[in-house]
Every structure is written in C-alpha cells, then in structure tokens.
Amino acid sequence: MDILKTKEPFDDKLFLELAQLLRVDQLIINDHQRIDKSEKIALLEREYKQLKEVSEVQQNHTLKLMADLDNIKDNLKSFVLPDRSIRVPDPVSDIERAIMKEHLDAFDSLLSRINKSVIAELIRADEELQRSMSKAAKAVQKCRNIFAQTTP
C-alpha cells in the first residue's frame, strides 16, 4: 500500500490486485474509476484492518475450541480410569450413566461448534482431518445408540 500512496500516477492495476486480495465488493472494483486516490487507499486500509481483525477472532475462536476439547478429554480420562473397566458393576449406576452422557453431549456439542466455525473450511480441505471428524461423529452416534439400547 505504501507504493500506492507514493507512486504517481496512481497504479490502478495494483489497486485492483490488492482490492481483489482483500475481497473488496465487486461493485466498488467495477466503479473504481469514479473513486479518487485517497478514497481508494482508505478503502484498502479499512478492508485490511477488517480482514486482520477477523483473522484474530478466528484464531481466538479456534484456541477456545481446542481448550474445550482438552477439558472434555481430561474429564473423560478422569471418569474412565484404566482399571475401571474391570471394576464397573453391572448394571452401571444412573449417576455414572448421567456423567457419561454429559461428557458425550459436551463432545457432540464441540463437534457441532467446530462444524459451524470458520475452521470447518480448513477441515473440509484436508482429507485426514475430514476422516478424523467423521470418525468422531460416528463414535458419538455409536455411543448414542448404546445409550438408547440400555435405557431402562
């Protein structure tokens, strides 16, 4: 942008390239001839600032999702200790079923939030991540089916 500010005559080609990179509205790009140099630069600076803010929000949202996943993982680990499967009474108590269902609901909610978030596009673009998300969704459904079968 510094080049645009100082170069004379104004470089419309560079402006258009930057405008497209910053996803400026197509109507503005089409009518750029009617906008003066200072307005064009101000427009690019606003778009850059907005794009940067969105990126920071996305990053913070992703970090929150990761922290939530770690909490769910820790809760599940504390609930399902390695030697616990040997000691689990048959049938499992209602309290333990409720706790396990809470963990399952939390994980299912997290998967849903991930699928609705901005990182969903990145996941769809990566086959391995897509497989992992699919496996997680299938595991949640399998657990739901088990709960449905064992509900008194």
Side-chain angles (χ1 to χ4, degrees), residues 30-132:
N30 293 344
D31 290 340
H32 79 279
Q33 301 283 355
R34 298 180 187 172
I35 304 171
D36 74 3
K37 174 183 174 178
S38 61
E39 288 179 65
K40 288 178 182 178
I41 292 171
L43 170 73
L44 292 178
E45 287 174 338
R46 277 193 313 274
E47 292 295 322
Y48 176 74
K49 184 179 177 186
Q50 272 186 324
L51 192 61
K52 190 175 175 185
E53 287 171 358
V54 167
S55 179
E56 289 172 9
V57 168
Q58 291 172 346
Q59 187 176 26
N60 291 339
H61 184 71
T62 302
L63 291 173
K64 170 87 171 93
L65 290 170
M66 290 171 59
D68 290 349
L69 179 60
D70 283 341
N71 287 340
I72 291 169
K73 203 164 64 173
D74 290 344
N75 289 340
L76 195 56
K77 279 182 183 176
S78 67
F79 181 71
V80 184
L81 299 172
D83 62 335
R84 188 173 191 278
S85 60
I86 298 168
R87 297 181 290 125
V88 172
D90 195 19
V92 176
S93 74
D94 289 342
I95 293 171
E96 288 181 319
R97 287 176 54 80
I99 292 171
M100 191 61 194
K101 187 163 180 339
E102 283 179 25
H103 294 319
L104 179 63
D105 290 344
F107 187 62
D108 194 20
S109 173
L110 178 66
L111 290 177
S112 177
R113 287 177 25 227
I114 289 170
N115 284 326
K116 293 175 186 172
S117 73
V118 292
I119 62 172
E121 289 179 41
L122 299 174
I123 291 169
R124 283 190 285 276
D126 185 291
E127 286 183 36
E128 187 176 333
L129 288 174
Q130 225 175 357
R131 275 193 302 274
S132 294

